[in-house]
């Protein structure tokens, strides 16, 4: 039906060209198509062609089908096999002007054993991330004149012929947007004002915790049992009174809070974190409004810097703090009849609660200045990822501080492990198979993966060269950039059209939470074991001192164990 001639080619055979029929173009064709000829439909015509002597016509493997015409051929087939026939114009063959000549109803083996050993494999990470549709209704131009448009009976089988239905550009048009960057700030209020508001709010909260809350606690100290770890004077419950788990937990949380608050929550920390956020936002100022490929790279640099900043910044102070607590304060608490579990859990809650909100201050300072504050929910989720990453490395520092005999060894061990998780996260180079598994125990890998998936979506675009665009005159989707393809090669599926998993972050949050729980479980179990061992040592010491004749007879009972005097009870 085409209005042009087509060269047709058949693989594997030569055909006898029995007859060629050409249509009357003025009668049978218009500017777009021709009517199908019925020249060879009659039984008489077929018999006439069969009576042509074999070998009396030219043999061809390529012939011309005239526009609106037809060609009658004769083929002598051989063993069962499939043979490919197609138009010899490449663009037409790609558009589907082809068919398979199946000789002898051939069926290939289902296991692929018939393919060559080096046959290319299409199951690559990039191709598997592409969303393909088998066909669509071809575009119908309602304004076309002289009947030159396709009608509703036509189906288009190539992806570039289905852009009007299945492309990212069509999906963007359905959402009433035209490219751009979803995270770009679009508020009338400037980024500096937004940053200043959040800094002021955090400063007020910090003043409350550092100035007002301690005074309220001191005024209420006569009504509540408190523990002070500053001078190591703890609550001493009587020997015949057992405190409940909840009571111990509350008392120990107050104790840990009084100790840790001074170093973790203060005006100096506000100045430090807000200063880092403002400096970072100034260095990446207005990068969210830069829609070029360079701007896309700068946005990614901001995300990566945020991730690395909140990876090991607080790990080293945590090592020093945890070492002192694990090797001295914890044992003092336990000797004063506090159980191991509330001691460890209260420490975990207080430390991570004090450290978890500082990444939010950084994000709410840096990202408005960088013009990447268009979606507050997304910015808040980025803060959650950075807080989880920070807590994971604090938990890692707690593990080494607990199990190592000195602070220096704890620092060295934590540094080696933490740097390994950064280097082997796969950001800098594609990892060998032997060490590729390390990324799955790397908090920074899941953190960067999560915030990249939150930041970049399938409908985000950047400016590109004319002729490469798919959205507007000079706009390309991020998915088509080399950087996104590189991420996919390294296990980060992001900005993929038709793949909802490229924007879901549940698994990343789950793995970060799991790593956090594993690290604290290790340190807690080790600390519980150390406390139980210290109890055994204390019991051995008491038994060694309590033998007849070793103490005053008034202080030894008839079983050979020491008995406290009234004076010692009063002192206790």
């Amino acid at each position: 039906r085409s209005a042009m001639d087509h060269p047709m080619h058949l693989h594997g055979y030569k055909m006898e060209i029995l007859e060629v029929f050409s249509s009357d173009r003025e009668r049978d064709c218009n500017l777009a198509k021709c009517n199908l000829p019925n020249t060879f439909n009659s039984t008489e015509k077929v018999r006439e062609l069969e009576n042509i002597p074999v070998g009396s016509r030219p043999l061809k493997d390529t012939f011309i089908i005239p526009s609106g015409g037809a060609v009658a051929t004769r083929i002598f087939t051989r063993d069962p096999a499939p043979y490919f026939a197609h138009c010899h114009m490449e663009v037409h063959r790609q558009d589907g002007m082809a068919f398979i000549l199946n000789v002898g109803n051939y069926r290939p083996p289902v296991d692929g054993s018939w393919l060559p050993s080096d046959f290319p494999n299409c199951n690559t990470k990039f191709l598997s991330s592409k969303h393909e549709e088998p066909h669509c209704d071809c575009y119908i131009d309602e304004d076309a004149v002289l009947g030159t448009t396709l009608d509703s009976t036509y189906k288009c089988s190539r992806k570039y012929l289905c852009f009007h239905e299945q492309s990212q550009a069509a999906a963007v048009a359905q959402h009433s947007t035209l490219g751009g960057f979803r995270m770009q700030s679009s508020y009338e209020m400037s980024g500096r004002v937004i940053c200043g508001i959040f800094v002021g709010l955090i400063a007020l909260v910090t003043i409350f915790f550092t100035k007002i809350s301690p005074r309220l606690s001191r005024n209420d100290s006569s009504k509540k049992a408190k523990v002070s770890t500053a001078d190591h004077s703890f609550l001493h419950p009587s020997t015949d009174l057992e405190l409940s788990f909840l009571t111990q937990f509350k008392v120990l949380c107050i104790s840990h809070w009084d100790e840790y608050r001074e170093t973790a929550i203060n005006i100096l920390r506000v100045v430090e974190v807000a200063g880092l956020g403002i400096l970072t936002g100034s260095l990446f100022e207005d990068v969210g409004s830069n829609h070029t490929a360079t701007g896309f790279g700068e946005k990614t640099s901001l995300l990566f810097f945020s991730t690395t900043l909140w990876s090991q910044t607080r790990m080293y102070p945590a090592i020093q703090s945890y070492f002192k607590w694990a090797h001295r304060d914890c044992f003092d608490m336990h000797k004063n009849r506090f159980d191991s579990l509330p001691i460890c859990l209260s420490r975990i809650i207080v430390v991570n609660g004090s450290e978890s909100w500082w990444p939010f201050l950084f994000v709410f300072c840096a990202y408005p200045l960088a013009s990447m504050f268009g979606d507050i929910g997304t910015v808040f989720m980025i803060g959650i990822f950075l807080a989880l990453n920070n807590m994971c490395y604090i938990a890692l520092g707690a593990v080494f501080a607990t199990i190592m005999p000195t602070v220096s060894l704890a620092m060295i061990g934590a540094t080696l492990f933490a740097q390994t998780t950064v280097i082997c996260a796969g950001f800098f180079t594609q990892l060998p198979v032997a060490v590729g598994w390390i990324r799955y125990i790397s908090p920074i890998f899941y953190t960067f993966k999560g915030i990249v998936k939150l930041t970049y979506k399938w409908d985000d675009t950047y400016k590109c060269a004319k002729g490469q665009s798919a959205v507007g005159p000079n706009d390309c989707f991020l998915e088509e950039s080399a950087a996104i393809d590189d991420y996919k090669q390294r296990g980060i599926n992001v900005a993929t059209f038709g793949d909802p998993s490229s924007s879901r972050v549940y698994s990343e949050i789950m793995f970060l939470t799991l790593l956090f729980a594993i690290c604290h479980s290790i340190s807690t179990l080790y600390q519980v074991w150390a406390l139980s061992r210290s109890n055994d040592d204390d019991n051995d010491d008491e038994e060694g001192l309590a033998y007849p004749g070793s103490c005053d007879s008034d202080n030894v009972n008839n079983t050979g164990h020491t008995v406290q005097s009234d004076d010692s009870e009063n002192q206790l």
Side-chain angles (χ1 to χ4, degrees):
R1 298 184 67 177
S2 173
M4 65 176 292
D5 299 343
H6 292 276
M8 298 299 297
H9 174 66
L10 175 64
H11 291 254
Y13 286 106
K14 289 188 179 296
M15 304 161 286
E16 281 191 275
I17 310 300
L18 301 181
E19 188 174 324
V20 178
F21 169 77
S22 297
S23 64
D24 186 341
R25 295 196 178 190
E26 294 184 0
R27 181 192 64 198
D28 299 330
C29 304
N30 57 29
L31 294 178
K33 58 187 177 181
C34 300
N35 297 324
L36 285 175
N38 56 6
T39 306
F40 302 125
N41 290 355
S42 65
T43 305
E44 293 78 10
K45 186 62 177 179
V46 173
R47 289 176 180 174
E48 177 185 341
L49 295 173
E50 288 178 348
N51 293 329
I52 297 175
V54 176
S56 62
R57 295 292 190 267
L59 291 173
K60 298 280 188 178
D61 60 11
T62 304
F63 56 88
I64 302 295
I65 295 184
S67 58
V71 177
T73 65
R74 178 163 56 197
I75 306 172
F76 292 95
T77 61
R78 297 184 297 272
D79 295 334
Y83 295 93
F84 188 40
H86 59 89
C87 177
H88 235 309
M89 299 181 70
E90 187 69 15
V91 64
H92 293 173
R93 180 185 66 80
Q94 291 181 354
D95 285 346
M97 194 172 183
F99 62 90
I100 297 294
L101 179 64
N102 191 353
V103 176
N105 196 25
Y106 173 78
R107 292 289 184 271
V110 295
D111 59 357
S113 59
W114 58 285
L115 294 173
S117 59
D118 58 347
F119 193 79
N121 183 6
C122 295
N123 189 26
T124 63
K125 292 182 179 180
F126 177 74
L127 291 177
S128 61
S129 70
K130 307 293 287 184
H131 181 68
E132 298 286 352
E133 293 288 347
H135 60 77
C136 67
D137 294 327
C138 293
Y139 178 73
I140 300 175
D141 186 2
E142 302 292 346
D143 298 324
V145 296
L146 300 177
T148 57
T149 186
L150 301 175
D151 56 44
S152 59
T153 62
Y154 280 83
K155 297 288 183 181
C156 289
S157 59
R158 303 298 296 179
K159 183 177 180 180
Y160 64 84
L161 295 177
C162 298
F163 271 180
H164 61 287
E165 286 188 3
Q166 299 168 2
S167 68
Q168 291 173 270
V172 168
Q174 293 173 5
H175 286 81
S176 302
T177 59
L178 187 60
F181 180 52
R182 187 176 54 86
M183 282 282 289
Q184 179 182 351
S185 299
S186 57
Y187 306 108
E188 295 182 1
M189 188 181 302
S190 68
R192 292 182 176 86
V193 175
I194 296 174
C195 173
I197 291 174
F198 281 106
V199 172
L201 290 175
I202 296 297
L204 290 177
V205 173
T206 304
I207 292 173
F208 173 81
F209 280 122
T210 57
K211 302 298 182 181
I212 301 176
S213 178
R215 293 180 180 179
L216 295 176
S217 299
R218 283 194 296 269
N219 294 335
D220 201 34
S221 60
S222 60
K223 300 179 182 179
K224 295 183 180 180
K226 297 184 61 179
V227 181
S228 175
T229 58
D231 57 359
H232 306 292
S233 58
F234 299 92
L235 178 68
H236 290 257
S238 60
T239 56
D240 58 349
L241 179 63
E242 290 291 336
L243 295 179
S244 66
F245 173 86
L246 183 59
T247 302
Q248 294 185 52
F249 181 75
K250 290 170 62 177
V251 170
L252 290 167
C253 280
I254 295 172
S255 169
H256 288 136
W257 171 251
D258 289 340
E259 173 202 5
Y260 201 77
R261 178 186 58 199
E262 297 179 359
T263 58
I265 301 178
N266 50 58
I267 295 298
L268 185 60
R269 284 295 307 276
V270 175
V271 174
E272 173 196 355
V273 177
L276 281 172
I278 294 172
L279 177 61
T280 303
S282 301
L283 292 175
F284 292 94
E285 186 174 7
D286 208 31
V287 70
S289 303
N290 188 349
H291 294 170
T292 64
T294 302
F296 169 51
E298 291 177 350
K299 296 182 187 76
T300 305
S301 298
L302 172 59
L303 299 178
F304 187 73
F305 175 75
S306 303
T307 306
T308 54
L309 177 64
W310 292 101
S311 293
Q312 302 172 35
T313 306
R314 296 298 295 172
M315 182 181 73
Y316 297 109
I319 292 175
Q320 292 180 326
S321 174
Y322 259 99
F323 186 87
K324 172 181 173 294
W325 172 82
H327 293 269
R328 188 181 67 183
D329 297 347
C330 183
F331 289 93
D332 291 341
M333 293 177 180
H334 192 62
K335 288 179 181 179
N336 289 283
R337 304 187 184 282
F338 285 101
D339 296 333
S340 304
L341 192 57
I343 292 174
C344 296
L345 287 180
S346 59
R347 179 74 181 186
I348 293 171
I349 295 296
V350 169
V351 170
N352 290 284
S354 302
E355 297 287 356
S356 61
W357 60 322
W358 295 110
F360 291 94
L361 175 58
F362 170 81
V363 168
F364 283 97
C365 286
Y367 283 60
L369 293 175
S371 297
M372 291 178 60
F373 204 68
D375 189 338
I376 298 179
T378 301
V379 176
F380 184 79
M381 286 298 299
I382 292 175
I384 290 178
F385 268 101
L386 296 180
L388 283 172
N389 189 51
N390 187 37
M391 289 190 293
C392 282
Y393 281 99
I394 289 175
L396 181 63
V399 171
F400 284 93
T402 304
I403 65 177
M404 290 296 181
T406 64
V407 175
S408 300
L409 289 177
M411 291 280 189
I412 294 172
T415 301
L416 290 175
F417 190 91
Q419 291 296 338
T420 301
T421 61
V422 174
I423 295 172
C424 295
F427 304 137
F428 308 104
T429 184
Q430 197 159 355
L431 299 175
V433 178
V435 296
W437 60 271
I438 298 180
R439 72 170 59 179
Y440 299 111
I441 60 172
S442 171
I444 194 174
F445 169 72
Y446 295 110
T447 302
F448 184 70
K449 182 179 180 181
I451 65 175
V452 166
K453 292 171 73 172
L454 285 169
T455 305
Y456 299 135
K457 302 299 181 183
W458 64 266
D459 54 349
D460 288 335
T461 62
Y462 67 99
K463 297 296 182 182
C464 58
K466 187 176 182 180
Q468 300 176 359
S469 59
V471 188
N474 293 96
D475 293 292
C476 295
F477 286 105
L478 286 184
E479 183 182 0
E480 306 300 330
S481 69
I484 295 297
D485 186 34
D486 189 53
Y487 287 151
K488 292 178 180 179
Q489 295 291 336
R490 300 183 185 189
I492 303 178
N493 182 26
V494 58
T496 303
F497 174 63
D499 186 1
S501 66
S502 65
S503 59
R504 292 174 183 164
V505 295
Y506 307 120
S507 60
E508 286 76 21
I509 292 178
M510 181 187 69
F511 279 111
L512 283 172
T513 306
L514 182 62
L515 291 173
F516 171 79
I518 289 174
C519 288
H520 274 302
S521 297
I522 294 173
S523 61
T524 300
L525 290 174
Y526 185 88
Q527 195 66 32
V528 169
W529 172 79
L531 291 173
S532 64
R533 191 178 64 172
S534 69
N535 283 342
D536 295 339
D537 294 341
D538 291 342
N539 292 334
D540 292 341
D541 292 341
E542 291 178 2
E543 292 176 0
L545 292 173
Y547 58 88
S550 62
C551 300
D552 190 279
S553 59
D554 293 336
N555 295 334
V556 180
N557 63 9
N558 56 4
T559 60
H561 290 82
T562 59
V563 178
Q564 292 176 335
S565 65
D566 293 338
D567 292 340
S568 63
E569 289 180 355
N570 293 332
Q571 291 174 4
L572 180 61

